[in-house]
Amino acid sequence: MTRLLSHPHRDRAPCVARAALVQPVAAVLTDRIDDVALAEAAARMALARRVPLLLIAVMPPHVRRSLLGPASPSVRAVLGRVMPKVGPHATGYIPEVFHLPTGTGSRLAAAKELLALATRHRAPDVLAARRGPHGLDAHALIEAAALRGGLFVHAVAPAAWAPLQSPAP
């Protein structure tokens, strides 16, 4: 008599559909000094989860959208500032561009659009600096995520300043 198994036999090969659903950790880069600490915190989180980073470079509204892409010089300048902190972790990254909306919209309009961009990339966590452009600071993103639902926004404090010390003789 054959014994019935409580669990059916499953093949150990990875499922293709699930393997394609990578959930990167998103970092909002606003071309400020806080971006370095933010990228380092995002890289540590991505390394712990073994997922890539979604590096969202925020561009001002006066820059023409037709000239911007993930490989444009202005986006590479924003990403180049944080790459020394991201590179050693070897997590991989996905560059993305977010254009600040033109005009005077509500305080949460830009935050909702940025969260929609992170959702399109299936990023469950978004890291943002406590200070940022209008509507893209961590507090506005947390408020927009609470209204919208679904994403976790983490506020990252700027790096502590340490005075330069001369080497000992």
Side-chain angles (χ1 to χ4, degrees), residues 58-128:
V58 176
M59 292 290 127
H62 65 274
V63 177
R64 292 195 342 214
R65 293 176 188 247
S66 62
L67 298 178
L68 286 180
S72 70
S74 35
V75 173
R76 284 188 299 163
V78 173
L79 297 179
R81 180 184 296 188
V82 300
M83 289 315 289
K85 295 293 182 180
V86 173
H89 294 288
T91 60
Y93 67 98
I94 304 164
E96 187 62 58
V97 180
F98 177 76
H99 301 280
L100 282 172
T102 57
T104 56
S106 72
R107 185 173 75 79
L108 299 176
K112 287 181 181 180
E113 288 181 29
L114 188 126
L115 292 177
L117 174 68
T119 302
R120 283 194 297 274
H121 284 279
R122 297 181 188 93
D125 294 297
V126 177
L127 279 80

Side-chain angles (χ1 to χ4, degrees), residues 41-52:
R44 283 193 310 265
M45 185 182 282
L47 184 63
R49 296 179 182 183
R50 295 183 178 146
V51 295

Side-chain angles (χ1 to χ4, degrees), residues 132-158:
H134 178 69
L136 292 182
D137 58 318
H139 301 293
L141 289 171
I142 289 170
E143 188 176 345
L147 293 172
R148 190 173 187 276
L151 294 175
F152 295 104
V153 178
H154 305 273
V156 177

Side-chain angles (χ1 to χ4, degrees), residues 2-10:
T2 306
R3 190 174 85 163
L4 295 175
L5 298 174
S6 61
H7 299 289
H9 173 71
R10 293 191 178 139

